[in-house]
Amino acid sequence: MQRTKQPTMKDVAKLAGVTQPTVSNVVNGSESVSAEVRERVLKAIEELGYVPNALAKGLKQQRTNTVGLIIPDIESGFYGEIAKGVEKTLRASGYITFLCNTFYNPDLEKVYLNALIQQNVAGIIVAYPLVNKKIYANFNKFNIPLVVLDDKVEDESFTIPSVELNNISGSRLAVEHLYRTGAKRICFASEPLFSRALQLRYEGFRQAMEKFELEVDEQLILIENNQYDKIKMGYNLGAQILLNDAVDAIYASSDNLAFGIMKRLQEYGIKIPEDIIVIGYDDVPLSELISPTLTTVSQPKYQMAKKGSEILIKMMNKEENETTEVMYEPSLIIRQSSIKAVKVNS
Amino acid sequence: MQRTKQPTMKDVAKLAGVTQPTVSNVVNGSESVSAEVRERVLKAIEELGYVPNALAKGLKQQRTNTVGLIIPDIESGFYGEIAKGVEKTLRASGYITFLCNTFYNPDLEKVYLNALIQQNVAGIIVAYPLVNKKIYANFNKFNIPLVVLDDKVEDESFTIPSVELNNISGSRLAVEHLYRTGAKRICFASEPLFSRALQLRYEGFRQAMEKFELEVDEQLILIENNQYDKIKMGYNLGAQILLNDAVDAIYASSDNLAFGIMKRLQEYGIKIPEDIIVIGYDDVPLSELISPTLTTVSQPKYQMAKKGSEILIKMMNKEENETTEVMYEPSLIIRQSSIKAVKVNS
DNA sequence: CTGAAAGCGCTTACAG
DNA sequence: CTGAAAGCGCTTACAG
């Protein structure tokens, strides 16, 4: 595995009979070069198979074309789509993305932040509420352009551009739909409310229940205490739900949670939607494949990822200085899990 | 967005009253430094919040701690798990991963390869058979350590370490299981056989059919001509299957394909497994959530990703020079889609 | 054990 | 329009 020495601008210059800075000018189009010289240089580049060294360029310019994407779980449908949107948008503007998968581990969050700083990334996108909140202050200290997705960081000393979903109206959509189906006894099932987004979903749920004059049964507010695999969590919550008789409908704070719940209910012979209606949140790809297909509050994930990336790109280009806060509106995707068989009247 | 100048080793050296190379020695533990000096330096590092510059280090050392991961679709369950395994394994050895999502686009494959070369990555993992086969020669030319997952590149002029699944025995497991259920008329449904892996699945299917003395009906060999979304493709293939009466079982070359097929069959009131048995390939997370849960040939994806990463790490460390070819054995995960209700005899 | 020097591959003024 | 020079932040011999 003898690595052959890569040709440098110096080698190109020698072959083309010019100086090395002239090669630099040709490559970057920075200063005007006579057509004749340009051609000689391009030919030499071609001949040697010269490829610029991004490290040297970055070191000199004090600026790179790399960006860090911090997400908790690349395998989940939700973050997979986010990653795709971010990566594609950044790539189109010439940036290349470091994948930082933290598994919600605060130590790893720290490790990654450190690694990204060492790499002199031009910017960072954080796609979930970091467990280790102290890290936000670090971003500020190192002055790295940062955009937060699905969260908003509030601190008196600094503000961070964010792209979020209107989670209050997401819950309103869900409850309104349940109200229309005639459901009375509605269960709210959720992972721990560790993020702003989840807190708002819960708050929105209570607000909407009040608005539609539905009674909240505190027995039916099922919020887990510990964070772990959401599908398993749903499966466990499903067991709790089985203990309650007379539940009409379940509003789960994420699709994955809903999948676990449905699995458990179905194992016990409960029919969805005939016996119990289920609504999820996120609209991950799976939700239209599972049986019954899942009614869910849809987040425009790809749009949000794209928008966040665009904001970051502007920041990295210093095009825009003001702090931006974008909020998207959710929509309700109605599928089988909430539509009881229609009775046809002749 | 005034970026405050980051402290350098020079700044640390000045504060600690030593020279800059001494700081380097302390940071890297490369040469012995007196305990007293070390302490002074560490205190200065702490005080200034010094973080090493990976670009400068990489430039000087002609070696980085970055690796490129080239995958076609991060959103799919299969590659999501691969990405997770790769990223985690490399991270544990101090490498940080560039995510290169190609969407099976040969131009993007080229663009990414170029970007990775510019970044001076220490190595590259390719997790699928590249569409643009010429690229493999480029890797060789630039002498970048490379490992291929789920494929094997055969060229007289060079060999590339690979981690694959034994796809012949995967098909044997599937057909054997179908044989045992009593299925006679077996349909083979697949995306285009653009990769070695898929070709071997097909070959393995024919071999196994012969072995179990099952007749292959060429009408039931459904191989798509164009590559597109696999679930949609399965949905379309499902329509073709409906045209054939008397199909006992379907062996789909991937789970996603099977999902699409099942969706179509179920829409037409066909019961799985009562009417038709379905077997998939890959064991993506979804396959145990869908209803009925899907019997499938399981690939040890995480293991394969981990093994491939470990091989790459050794190559990058120049620990091992020989070309490695690893082959994993698949296993059959039997779920509802192939188990007809058991008749209990009293 | 410590310090002075060279150089990795570039970009960026600046002089001609 | 072209060339000589400095320097980005490090590592790595090498001399003391």
Side-chain angles (χ1 to χ4, degrees), chain A residues 2 54 87 99 112 118 143, chain B residues 2 54 87 97 99 112 118 143:
Chain A
Q2 259 299 354
E87 195 266 359
L99 173 64
Y112 271 119
Q118 294 195 14
N143 236 317
Chain B
Q2 260 299 355
E87 193 267 358
T97 305
L99 172 63
Y112 271 119
Q118 295 194 14
N143 237 317

Side-chain angles (χ1 to χ4, degrees), chain B residues 106-237:
Chain B
D107 295 330
L108 264 188
E109 288 174 353
K110 195 90 202 289
V111 165
Y112 271 119
L113 175 63
N114 207 263
L116 293 176
I117 291 169
Q118 295 194 14
Q119 293 295 336
N120 283 35
V121 291
I124 296 180
I125 289 189
V126 174
Y128 73 105
L130 293 178
V131 176
N132 188 343
K133 300 294 179 198
K134 286 186 214 154
I135 288 185
Y136 292 113
N138 262 314
F139 286 114
N140 195 49
K141 181 173 140 205
F142 281 93
N143 237 317
I144 299 175
L146 168 70
V147 171
V148 171
L149 304 185
D150 202 28
D151 192 19
K152 191 160 94 182
V153 181
E154 293 179 314
D155 188 297
E156 56 266 23
S157 55
F158 55 91
T159 42
I160 298 172
S162 62
V163 177
E164 327 177 73
L165 187 78
N166 188 337
N167 285 291
I168 293 281
S169 61
S171 285
R172 192 182 42 63
L173 286 173
V175 173
E176 183 175 4
H177 179 63
L178 292 177
Y179 170 77
R180 291 210 180 129
T181 64
K184 296 265 183 273
R185 293 180 52 78
I186 299 174
C187 165
F188 178 80
S190 178
E191 62 189 298
L193 306 179
F194 74 98
S195 76
R196 187 181 139 83
L198 288 164
Q199 284 156 18
L200 291 172
R201 281 176 210 179
Y202 178 55
E203 201 179 310
F205 168 74
R206 296 198 84 105
Q207 285 179 18
M209 290 293 276
E210 199 176 325
K211 179 173 173 197
F212 292 103
E213 299 179 347
L214 291 163
E215 197 181 335
V216 174
D217 180 346
E218 300 299 334
Q219 298 288 329
L220 296 181
I221 302 289
L222 301 178
I223 298 171
E224 263 286 353
N225 292 314
N226 304 308
Q227 189 66 268
Y228 57 100
D229 180 81
K230 288 195 205 164
I231 292 171
K232 281 193 196 130
M233 194 188 291
Y235 191 72
N236 292 338
L237 288 172

Side-chain angles (χ1 to χ4, degrees), chain A residues 168-299:
Chain A
I168 294 281
S169 61
S171 285
R172 192 183 40 68
L173 286 173
V175 173
E176 183 175 3
H177 179 63
L178 293 175
Y179 170 76
R180 291 210 182 131
T181 65
K184 298 264 183 274
R185 293 182 51 79
I186 300 173
C187 166
F188 178 81
S190 178
E191 60 190 298
L193 307 180
F194 74 98
S195 74
R196 187 180 138 84
L198 288 164
Q199 284 158 15
L200 290 173
R201 281 175 210 178
Y202 177 56
E203 200 179 311
F205 168 75
R206 296 198 85 106
Q207 284 179 16
M209 289 293 275
E210 197 175 326
K211 178 173 173 194
F212 292 103
E213 297 179 348
L214 291 162
E215 197 181 335
V216 174
D217 180 346
E218 302 297 335
Q219 298 288 327
L220 296 181
I221 303 288
L222 301 177
I223 298 171
E224 263 285 353
N225 292 314
N226 303 309
Q227 189 66 269
Y228 57 100
D229 180 82
K230 289 196 207 168
I231 292 170
K232 280 194 196 127
M233 194 189 290
Y235 191 72
N236 292 339
L237 288 172
Q240 291 187 49
I241 293 169
L242 287 167
L243 297 177
N244 267 282
D245 34 295
V247 169
D248 292 338
I250 299 162
Y251 170 35
S253 70
S254 73
D255 285 352
N256 282 335
L257 207 67
F259 298 148
I261 292 172
M262 286 164 74
K263 195 174 165 69
R264 175 76 83 170
L265 296 186
Q266 287 174 330
E267 283 176 11
Y268 278 79
I270 291 176
K271 291 213 161 46
I272 300 165
E274 291 79 359
D275 301 331
I276 297 184
I277 282 176
V278 178
I279 292 192
Y281 209 109
D282 288 345
D283 192 24
V284 300
L286 220 164
S287 50
E288 60 173 329
L289 294 170
I290 202 166
S291 181
T293 56
L294 180 65
T295 292
T296 186
V297 177
S298 175
Q299 305 205 39

Side-chain angles (χ1 to χ4, degrees), chain B residues 233-264:
Chain B
M233 194 188 291
Y235 191 72
N236 292 338
L237 288 172
Q240 292 185 49
I241 293 170
L242 287 168
L243 297 176
N244 268 281
D245 36 291
V247 170
D248 292 339
I250 298 162
Y251 171 35
S253 68
S254 73
D255 285 352
N256 282 336
L257 207 67
F259 298 148
I261 293 172
M262 287 165 74
K263 193 174 166 70
R264 174 78 83 168

Side-chain angles (χ1 to χ4, degrees), chain A residues 1-2 6 54 65 73 75 84 87 91 97-99 101 103 112 118-119 142-143 263 286 288, chain B residues 2 6 54 65 73 75 84 87 91 97-99 101 103 112 118-119 142-143 263 286 288:
Chain A
M1 203 51 68
Q2 259 299 354
Q6 294 304 321
N65 68 333
D73 180 11
E75 205 181 337
K84 198 166 174 172
E87 195 266 359
R91 169 72 261 164
T97 306
F98 280 117
L99 173 64
N101 202 68
F103 302 91
Y112 271 119
Q118 294 195 14
Q119 293 295 334
F142 281 93
N143 236 317
K263 195 174 165 69
L286 220 164
E288 60 173 329
Chain B
Q2 260 299 355
Q6 294 302 323
N65 68 333
D73 180 13
E75 204 181 336
K84 198 166 175 172
E87 193 267 358
R91 168 73 261 163
T97 305
F98 280 116
L99 172 63
N101 200 69
F103 301 92
Y112 271 119
Q118 295 194 14
Q119 293 295 336
F142 281 93
N143 237 317
K263 193 174 166 70
L286 219 165
E288 60 171 331

